[in-house]
Amino acid sequence: MANLIPRDLAGGEELLGKLMNSFWQERQMNTDIKEYEDKYLVQADLPGIKKENIRVSYVNNTLTISAAQTETTKTEDDFGHYLRKERSSSAYQRTFTITDIDDESIKAVFEDGVLTLTLPKASYKDAPAKNIPIE
């Protein structure tokens, strides 16, 4: 009977780890961050999430995007008794450290399941033009 239990579980643990990583990667909020001379552009995929369930904050050089969604499915017979009632919920959060942002000018747009944030750089706005002497 003892021979039925594998003594080396390393392969099983590796397989379980790969499965769990695959599960969490699919539930992750895919995010792209692109840097321009005067701003950063952040795009986060949030399919199926309603705009009112998304929160964005920028505090102490930390950008946080969080979203939560709860769905309820109901199927009833003619008398209103539940035959099936299912609820599911999901929550996502991503945090990024992005410095040198003019936090008063951040803009957010949510369209077709994609959240787009425009983060203007503070130093670009404040940097005075510098004349370079020619020798």
Side-chain angles (χ1 to χ4, degrees):
M1 186 81 153
N3 291 336
L4 296 176
I5 301 171
R7 296 193 184 270
D8 180 18
L9 294 177
E13 289 175 8
E14 182 179 327
L15 177 61
L16 181 61
K18 286 181 181 178
L19 288 172
M20 291 306 291
N21 285 339
S22 174
F23 171 77
W24 288 114
Q25 284 175 354
E26 289 177 12
R27 297 186 55 83
Q28 183 176 344
M29 180 190 318
N30 294 326
T31 307
D32 299 330
I33 301 175
K34 194 171 188 181
E35 182 178 11
Y36 293 91
E37 184 178 335
D38 61 336
K39 67 184 175 209
Y40 294 97
L41 187 68
V42 178
Q43 292 184 304
D45 293 341
L46 294 165
I49 304 291
K50 296 177 184 170
K51 182 171 77 170
E52 56 269 14
N53 294 332
I54 301 171
R55 300 287 176 258
V56 179
S57 66
Y58 183 75
V59 179
N60 296 328
N61 297 324
T62 302
L63 175 70
T64 302
I65 304 169
S66 56
Q69 188 75 12
T70 301
E71 295 182 22
T72 302
T73 303
K74 296 179 184 178
T75 304
E76 298 181 11
D77 64 10
D78 293 336
F79 304 106
H81 302 290
Y82 288 115
L83 297 176
R84 181 177 63 139
K85 183 177 179 181
E86 297 179 352
R87 291 173 297 284
S88 66
S89 63
S90 56
Y92 307 92
Q93 182 170 317
R94 296 292 303 269
T95 302
F96 305 96
T97 300
I98 305 176
T99 59
D100 193 33
I101 299 298
D102 177 11
D103 58 348
E104 297 294 321
S105 301
I106 295 174
K107 294 189 188 256
V109 175
F110 185 63
E111 187 175 53
D112 296 329
V114 177
L115 175 67
T116 302
L117 303 171
T118 303
L119 308 163
K121 292 182 179 179
S123 63
Y124 188 80
K125 180 182 86 170
D126 298 336
K130 181 178 179 182
N131 293 323
I132 301 171
I134 300 172
E135 294 181 24

